[in-house]
Every structure is written in structure tokens, then in C-alpha cells.
């Protein structure tokens, strides 16, 4: 097993900046706003020839009794409990504050090795930046700059010295893993669904819109299949997004959709279907991702209202007729097996292999049933088809005068191929590729 290094500290001391530097990514959302990180995030890192896992945590307030601060503290406590060594980060610019002392007391009781990192020390004398933090009684304070990399290598070497000596490297094996992004408006139950699928309180689920701010990727396995679940921030209408942090969160959500194999669009049966639901669905369709629609809070919705929701989905989200639409309750854990089965089916459809002979026969059958319309004196000729890609499936059609094929006929072909190959849960794209006449222009040159 690889060693686990947890980064803890009060808000805005630079934990996410250090996480990004160690993992050589931009996975953690970074902004000069206290309390930006709330859930714990894992990443794989390598320093000095050693591989390890690093865990980013939210701003830690051990004495918080309730509310979002208590939930953030629980996430940090869980990271400490599962770590081999803790990097406790403090802020050289702010100096020693009472909250640092409270966190130090908790770390001593936790019984984990602790390395004290004095961040934001760039431009300050090393001895002066670290001097007052000796008072915490956690060993030698180490001045660093997470933003500039100063002192980071020595800090990690000191932390890994506390890791188990027999901790060896593990190969990275993501082949066959299904990446599933859970998206939707704020407070529709995305984090509750992720926790229900994982079987633990892995991300903060709180009855407050905007609780999740970053996209958190979580690995789990069910029935022999491996998944990566991505919990995302709720996306509101563009006109209501004015806060810089929320803008970054929306970008992270859109990136999560782009990177996913399958997207679960979560709707709220109590609130009904909104324009923002349709906007999100449109983006999923635009980037061509496989899709499952989860209708959450179904158990708390009256029978009359359920029928209204069904009609709203048919009217406002009719363009998602290729996707499974599943009533469920994330809080009660109802409908989860059906949801995962639909995710598996959508992934299989998105990655399906479509044989060229069968594609061509299907194309010929589609043309026999309905020929492409004439464009003046010319009728496009569709000769043969082959697969051009997956996720989403791409069918490339060859022929002549294909630039004259109207969009309506393209959509007819997309539906025809999807029905013929029983591709449920994924959009299908048709691309026309006209042949080039090698003798074009010969007569004119003569």
C-alpha cells in the first residue's frame, strides 16, 4: 500500500495550492477565499522516487458544533484517521493564531506523526517566519512556499520518513473504469446520491444550496465493475452566477461532463423541471456524453405531482428520449441498483463496436425506406458506412453530393442507426464524407 499524507490546517493557509503542486495537477479549486475546499480530495503524487497519496481537506475548525463547519471538520478528521502522516499547515503571514493551537491539540490526541509546514514564507527570513510556531510543540517548523515550491521537497521527504518502510508502489490501472459525473441544479441531492452509492458519508451532504463547490472524484467498485464517481457543484442560471468562486465551480462541473463516460443528470421531482435542467441536458447532448436521468425525491412527491413531472420531462426534455429516466430516492437508497444498471447500459452503448458490413446494410435499409431529398437536380448518394469513433458512437457515411443532405435527414439516420443497434443511453453522431472526383476540372484545363 502507498503511504497517505493528509494536509490539514485552518481555512486559506494554502492546502489546495500544495495539493496541486504535489500532484502536478489543477484538480483542487484554488482562490483567495477562506473555506473554499469542503470535501476531502485524494491525489497520487511522487517525490524523491517515492509514490504516495496526498489528501486535501477543508479548513479545520475542531470546536465547531454544527452546520457546514462541523461537516468540514468531520471530513478533516476522517482524513487524519486514515493517514500515515499529517502535514499541518500554518500561515507565516498571519502568525500563530488560537485556531492553530486547537488543531495542534487535536493532532496530538490523534496519535499520527505530524510535520509542521509554515506556508507563505517566501520573502521572509526563515528563522523569523518559523520562530513563533515552536510554541505548538509539534517539532521543527518548516518554512515553505506552496505557491512557489520553496522548501516543498524537503517537507515531503520529512513527512515520508514517517511512512511505513514497506510501503511499495502500486500500478495505476484505470482501464475499464467507468467515469460517472453526477450533475444538476443546487440542492437536488447530488452529494446524497454519491454517498448512498459509496455506502459512506464521503462528501458533505447538507441542506443548503451551494454546499459542494468543487468536483470531487471518488473510486468505488460494485459487482465486479470499477467506477469513478464525480460529485459536482450545482449549476444555476448564468444570470444568477455572480460570485467568482461559483463561476470557477461551474467551469469545474462543465469539465467533469466533458471528461465523463456517463453523466447522471439529477432532477428534483418536488421542484419540477426548470430551464436550467434543460440547459445542462443540452450541454451533455452537445458534447455527446452517454446519459442517465435520475428523478430524485420521488418518494416525497405526491402522486398527482408525479404525473405532472412526467409531462414536464416529456415537454421540456423531449430531446433526451434516448436516455433512461429513473424515479429514485437518494436519501432512502431507493432505485440505486436500477441507476447503476442504466449507467452500465449507457456505457456499453457509448463504447459499442459497430461492424462495417452491418452499418452499410443498415444504411441501405434506411435509404430504401426514405431517400434523401433532392437538392435542385441533384440527389445525394449514400454508398457505405463505417464507425469513426466511440463515446459517442460516430458513423461516417461515404457517398456523393453529401453536402446537400439536410439536417432533418441526418437526424433521421441518427435515430435509425440507434434503433437498429439498440443503443440505449447514448447519443449517436452521423458524419458525411463525400468522395473526391480525381477528374474534376480536367475538361476545363483542356
Amino acid at each position: 500500500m502507498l503511504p497517505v499524507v493528509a494536509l490539514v490546517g485552518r481555512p486559506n493557509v494554502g492546502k489546495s495550492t500544495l495539493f496541486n503542486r504535489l500532484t502536478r495537477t489543477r484538480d483542487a479549486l484554488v482562490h483567495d477565499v477562506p473555506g473554499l475546499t469542503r470535501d476531502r480530495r485524494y491525489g497520487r503524487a511522487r517525490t524523491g522516487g517515492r509514490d504516495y497519496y496526498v489528501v486535501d481537506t477543508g479548513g479545520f475548525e475542531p470546536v465547531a458544533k454544527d452546520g457546514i463547519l462541523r461537516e468540514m471538520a468531520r471530513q478533516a478528521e476522517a482524513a487524519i484517521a486514515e493517514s500515515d502522516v499529517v502535514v499541518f499547515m500554518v500561515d507565516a503571514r498571519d502568525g500563530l493564531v488560537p485556531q492553530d493551537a486547537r488543531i495542534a491539540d487535536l493532532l496530538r490526541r490523534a496519535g499520527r506523526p505530524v510535520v509542521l509546514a509554515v506556508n507563505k514564507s517566501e520573502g521572509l527570513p526563515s528563522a523569523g517566519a518559523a520562530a513563533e510556531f515552536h510554541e505548538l510543540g509539534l517539532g521543527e517548523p518548516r518554512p515553505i512556499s506552496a505557491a512557489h515550491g520553496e522548501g516543498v521537497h524537503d517537507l515531503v521527504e520529512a513527512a515520508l520518513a514517517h511512512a511505513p518502510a514497506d510501503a511499495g508502489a502500486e500500478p495505476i490501472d484505470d482501464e475499464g473504469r467507468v467515469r460517472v459525473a453526477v450533475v444538476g441544479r443546487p440542492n437536488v441531492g447530488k452529494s446524497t446520491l454519491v454517498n448512498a452509492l459509496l455506502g459512506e458519508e464521503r462528501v458533505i451532504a447538507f441542506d443548503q444550496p451551494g454546499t459542494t463547490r468543487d468536483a470531487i472524484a471518488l473510486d468505488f467498485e460494485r459487482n465486479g465493475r470499477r467506477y469513478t464517481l464525480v460529485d459536482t457543484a450545482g449549476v444555476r442560471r448564468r444570470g444568477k452566477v455572480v460570485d467568482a468562486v461559483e463561476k470557477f465551480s461551474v467551469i469545474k462541473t462543465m469539465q467533469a461532463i466533458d471528461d465523463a463516460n456517463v453523466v447522471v443528470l439529477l432532477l428534483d421531482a418536488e421542484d419540477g423541471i426548470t430551464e436550467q435542467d434543460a440547459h445542462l441536458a443540452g450541454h451533455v447532448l452537445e458534447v455527446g456524453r452517454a446519459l442517465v436521468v435520475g428523478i430524485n425525491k420521488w418518494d416525497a412527491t405526491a402522486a398527482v405531482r408525479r404525473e405532472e413531472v412526467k409531462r414536464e420531462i416529456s415537454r421540456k426534455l423531449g430531446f433526451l428520449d434516448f436516455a433512461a429516466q429513473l424515479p429514485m430516492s437518494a436519501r432512502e437508497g431507493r432505485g440505486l441498483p436500477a441507476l447503476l444498471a442504466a449507467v452500465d447500459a449507457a456505457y456499453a452503448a457509448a463504447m459499442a463496436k459497430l461492424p462495417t458490413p452491418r452499418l452499410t446494410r443498415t444504411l441501405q435499409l434506411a435509404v430504401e425506406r426514405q431517400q434523401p431529398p433532392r437538392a435542385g437536380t441533384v440527389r445525394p448518394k449514400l454508398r457505405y458506412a463505417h464507425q469513426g469513433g466511440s463515446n459517442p458512437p460516430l458513423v461516417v457515411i461515404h457517398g456523393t453530393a453529401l453536402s446537400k443532405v439536410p439536417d432533418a435527414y441526418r437526424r433521421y439516420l441518427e435515430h435509425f442507426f440507434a434503433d437498429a443497434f439498440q443503443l440505449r443511453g447514448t447519443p449517436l453522431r452521423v458524419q458525411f464524407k463525400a468522395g473526391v472526383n480525381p477528374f474534376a476540372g480536367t475538361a476545363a484545363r483542356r
Side-chain angles (χ1 to χ4, degrees):
M1 295 290 291
L2 292 181
V4 178
V5 179
L7 309 179
V8 303
R10 56 188 177 82
N12 214 32
V13 296
K15 299 181 295 297
S16 294
T17 301
L18 181 58
F19 176 91
N20 286 344
R21 177 168 291 279
L22 295 178
T23 59
R24 295 180 173 86
T25 68
R26 293 184 178 179
D27 286 350
L29 194 57
V30 177
H31 192 59
D32 190 19
V33 174
L36 183 56
T37 302
R38 291 178 171 177
D39 301 292
R40 64 191 193 271
R41 174 192 291 279
Y42 294 76
R44 182 159 171 156
R46 182 177 179 84
T47 301
R50 289 196 68 180
D51 293 288
Y52 57 98
Y53 290 111
V54 58
V55 189
D56 185 22
T57 64
F60 196 8
E61 180 49 82
V63 298
K65 299 299 183 183
D66 53 27
I68 192 68
L69 291 178
R70 176 63 253 173
E71 298 300 322
M72 292 165 63
R74 287 178 55 196
Q75 291 286 315
E77 290 164 358
I80 293 168
E82 64 192 10
S83 68
D84 294 300
V85 58
V86 175
V87 172
F88 174 28
M89 296 184 67
V90 294
D91 190 324
R93 308 283 171 173
D94 292 345
L96 181 62
V97 300
Q99 191 173 347
D100 292 330
R102 290 194 293 268
I103 296 173
D105 289 341
L106 183 142
L107 292 176
R108 274 190 287 270
R109 292 195 300 271
R112 292 289 187 272
V114 178
V115 177
L116 181 59
V118 185
N119 193 28
K120 306 181 186 178
S121 296
E122 64 274 15
L124 300 176
S126 297
E132 62 181 315
F133 294 101
H134 284 276
E135 184 180 328
L136 293 174
L138 294 175
E140 184 71 22
R142 295 177 174 272
I144 69 165
S145 171
H148 299 92
E150 299 171 9
V152 170
H153 185 275
D154 291 341
L155 171 74
V156 176
E157 290 280 359
L160 293 178
H162 296 284
D166 59 347
E170 297 174 344
I172 299 175
D173 181 15
D174 285 332
E175 185 177 354
R177 185 179 292 278
V178 183
R179 192 172 183 88
V180 183
V182 182
V183 304
R185 291 181 287 112
N187 216 33
V188 296
K190 299 182 296 296
S191 296
T192 303
L193 173 60
V194 169
N195 286 336
L197 290 171
L198 295 174
E200 61 171 309
E201 293 295 319
R202 179 58 186 79
V203 291
I204 297 175
F206 199 64
D207 189 18
Q208 172 184 314
T211 297
T212 302
R213 289 177 164 178
D214 207 348
I216 306 296
L218 308 159
D219 294 341
F220 82 110
E221 186 171 329
R222 184 71 56 83
N223 299 326
R225 165 151 273 179
R226 296 179 302 159
Y227 304 85
T228 296
L229 278 177
V230 185
D231 185 22
T232 65
V235 179
R236 298 192 298 164
R237 287 194 297 114
R238 182 177 299 178
K240 292 188 175 182
V241 179
V242 295
D243 180 72
V245 171
E246 189 172 359
K247 289 180 181 179
F248 291 142
S249 299
V250 170
I251 292 171
K252 285 281 191 177
T253 297
M254 295 307 176
Q255 290 174 340
I257 293 173
D258 294 348
D259 295 340
N261 299 121
V262 182
V263 174
V264 174
L265 174 61
L266 206 58
L267 308 176
D268 188 323
E270 291 183 305
D271 289 348
I273 313 305
T274 68
E275 290 182 8
Q276 186 58 21
D277 293 323
H279 173 73
L280 270 172
H283 180 74
V284 174
L285 187 60
E286 182 181 346
V287 298
R289 291 297 166 260
L291 178 67
V292 176
V293 178
I295 312 170
N296 195 27
K297 306 180 185 180
W298 195 251
D299 57 326
T301 306
V304 174
R305 179 60 181 148
R306 291 179 182 180
E307 294 303 317
E308 292 176 356
V309 170
K310 290 178 181 178
R311 289 193 294 270
E312 286 183 23
I313 292 175
S314 178
R315 185 176 72 257
K316 298 180 180 179
L317 302 179
F319 57 93
L320 299 183
D321 55 353
F322 65 88
Q325 299 171 4
L326 305 174
M328 55 177 293
S329 171
R331 186 178 298 278
E332 301 298 329
R334 295 173 185 165
L336 301 189
L339 180 72
L340 279 180
V343 167
D344 290 344
Y347 177 73
M351 307 302 291
K353 302 301 181 185
L354 311 178
T356 296
R358 188 178 169 194
L359 279 173
T360 300
R361 288 195 299 269
T362 303
L363 172 63
Q364 292 169 349
L365 181 59
V367 172
E368 287 176 8
R369 292 190 179 180
Q370 182 177 330
Q371 290 194 15
R374 287 183 178 275
T377 59
V378 177
R379 186 187 297 275
K381 301 293 184 184
L382 284 59
R383 303 193 183 282
Y384 69 95
H386 65 86
Q387 186 171 6
S390 299
N391 198 31
L394 174 65
V395 177
V396 180
I397 297 176
H398 295 259
T400 57
L402 298 185
S403 62
K404 306 294 185 181
V405 177
D407 289 341
Y409 194 79
R410 183 197 299 270
R411 290 192 294 271
Y412 159 72
L413 291 175
E414 288 173 348
H415 283 93
F416 198 95
F417 280 115
D419 291 342
F421 286 88
Q422 297 182 334
L423 300 180
R424 179 68 170 163
T426 182
L428 180 142
R429 300 282 190 260
V430 166
Q431 176 182 320
F432 296 116
K433 193 169 184 179
V436 178
N437 183 357
F439 301 103
T442 302
R445 288 197 300 271
R446 288 179 180 176

